[in-house]
Amino acid sequence: MNVLVTGGAGYIGSVVVARLLEAGHEVTVIDDLSTGHRDAVPDDARFVLERVQHVSDTLGRHSFDGVVHLAASSLVAESITDPQKYETNNVAGTRGLLEALRTAEIPKIVFSSSAAVYGEPERVPIEEDAPTVPLNPYGSSKLSVDRMLDAEAARHGIAAVSLRYFNVAGSYAVLGERHSPETHLIPLTLRAALDSRPATVFGDDYLTPDGTCIRDYIHVVDIADAHLLALDAASPGTWRVFNLGNGEGFSVREVIAAARRVTGLPLAESVTARRAGDPAVLVASSERARKELNWAPKKPRLDEMVDDAWQFLHRGQR
Ligand code: UFG
């Protein structure tokens, strides 16, 4: 397949690109490098420095079989202080992309949606038909795009798939998490270990066994591979949605304990106030992805994800 990957210079996007190339696909990346890194795009991919809003020129020059759409603003806290940015980049940006796909007659799209669409779940593990009540504009923007894709499939016949990621972790070869600012628990905790600082725990008064938030961590390679399966499974005129997680939750304290095991360093903890908008427990049911996409995580162990993130951090130190 000839595939366009928007946001292919980002953490998850770059691994999607690497796995597509390994599977023999032709790949073009479009990324404005606002958060991505040019050196994260594998040499075998074509690179176009451009915003998604201006994608039509690129679409006109190549006949793509499908698009994997990851380009987005993705900081939950920022979305609360600057919701307009999320409306513009995530919602309006995707609307423009869909219009361009229609004009260029590109038949399929796989979209990076998020567990953030569910908000505080009524039941865990979370299934795809659970109520969607996002707690922040980031989650709302992802939900708006999911709905847009549903409508686009029904009205214009595109084949659309939304993949709702839970907590993505780990690294793949030279590709890993390089966010600025970094907000995610695993890289922040490993950085703290390296700098001999305590790891920060945002709240230990949640209604969970150890009082800290529980999340479902999923390896970035397993996430990436789901995109390849979704491209194959997408069918015209249909929008399909899949949760991607391991179905097992780990608390913040359990993640910090994993970081101690992996690094061998005596990592202390410092408990601070809860972070606004954090649900207590987010754990996925990925039964649908397992059955319908034939997807099965190959790296489900938390320690392996933390170790891969640790190896990546070390590589950056050299
Ligand atoms: N946390 C800490 N200390 C830190 C960083 C995080 O205790 O230094 C906690 C958070 O409060 C949360 C858990 O660790 O309970 C995981 O936090 P992350 O920031 O790593 O991940 P989130 O669960 O907030 O975010 C993920 C995705 C988002 C998505 C969100 C949906 O990264 O894109 O899930 O809730 F929006």
Side-chain angles (χ1 to χ4, degrees), residues 31-301:
D31 198 301
D32 66 2
L33 298 183
S34 56
T35 55
H37 304 272
R38 177 65 183 89
D39 63 4
V41 180
D43 289 343
D44 292 342
R46 191 182 294 119
F47 179 74
V48 181
L49 178 66
E50 191 59 275
R51 303 193 72 191
V52 167
Q53 281 84 340
H54 305 131
V55 73
S56 37
D57 284 355
T58 305
L59 294 182
R61 276 197 294 275
H62 310 276
S63 53
F64 294 110
D65 302 301
V67 174
V68 179
H69 178 37
L70 299 108
S73 296
S74 60
L75 295 171
V76 171
E78 180 189 61
S79 80
I80 296 166
T81 54
D82 189 0
Q84 187 55 46
K85 179 172 178 183
Y86 286 71
E87 179 62 31
T88 304
N89 291 353
N90 297 2
V91 182
T94 307
R95 195 173 292 117
L97 173 66
L98 289 178
E99 279 162 22
L101 294 185
R102 222 180 291 143
T103 307
E105 297 181 356
I106 294 167
K108 59 174 97 172
I109 180 166
V110 174
F111 171 61
S112 67
S113 187
S114 169
V117 303
Y118 297 112
E120 187 79 58
E122 285 171 10
R123 264 198 302 271
V124 286
I126 303 170
E127 296 183 347
E128 289 82 354
D129 55 7
T132 43
V133 194
L135 297 179
N136 49 63
Y138 168 72
S140 302
S141 72
K142 291 289 177 180
L143 184 59
S144 296
V145 173
D146 284 351
R147 290 180 174 148
M148 213 186 284
L149 292 175
D150 189 12
E152 186 74 12
R155 281 196 211 120
H156 301 290
I158 199 166
V161 177
S162 290
L163 300 176
R164 290 180 175 159
Y165 315 153
F166 280 62
N167 286 61
V168 187
S171 64
Y172 182 60
V174 297
L175 305 171
E177 223 165 338
R178 277 190 279 164
H179 296 121
S180 180
E182 185 53 77
T183 60
H184 295 106
L185 176 64
I186 291 177
L188 284 175
T189 297
L190 292 173
R191 168 55 65 184
L194 201 59
D195 297 347
S196 306
R197 285 183 287 106
T200 305
V201 177
F202 291 141
D204 65 353
D205 56 351
Y206 287 93
L207 287 176
T208 59
D210 69 12
T212 67
C213 286
I214 292 176
R215 294 288 181 274
D216 184 342
Y217 295 88
I218 174 83
H219 199 288
V220 66
V221 170
D222 289 325
I223 287 282
D225 287 351
H227 294 73
L228 278 72
L229 295 169
L231 278 169
D232 285 339
S235 55
T238 311
W239 172 68
R240 301 168 77 183
V241 55
F242 299 97
N243 288 343
L244 298 178
N246 277 304
E248 193 180 358
F250 291 95
S251 72
V252 171
R253 287 214 161 102
E254 286 173 324
V255 171
I256 294 172
R260 283 192 199 103
R261 283 193 297 275
V262 164
T263 63
L265 294 169
L267 182 59
E269 290 172 19
S270 157
V271 179
T272 65
R274 290 181 177 198
R275 191 172 67 178
D278 273 340
V281 182
L282 286 176
V283 176
S285 163
S286 294
E287 285 312 303
R288 185 185 286 179
R290 287 172 185 273
K291 280 198 196 107
E292 296 182 23
L293 293 180
N294 208 15
W295 176 75
K298 296 186 189 81
K299 293 189 158 206
R301 289 179 47 246

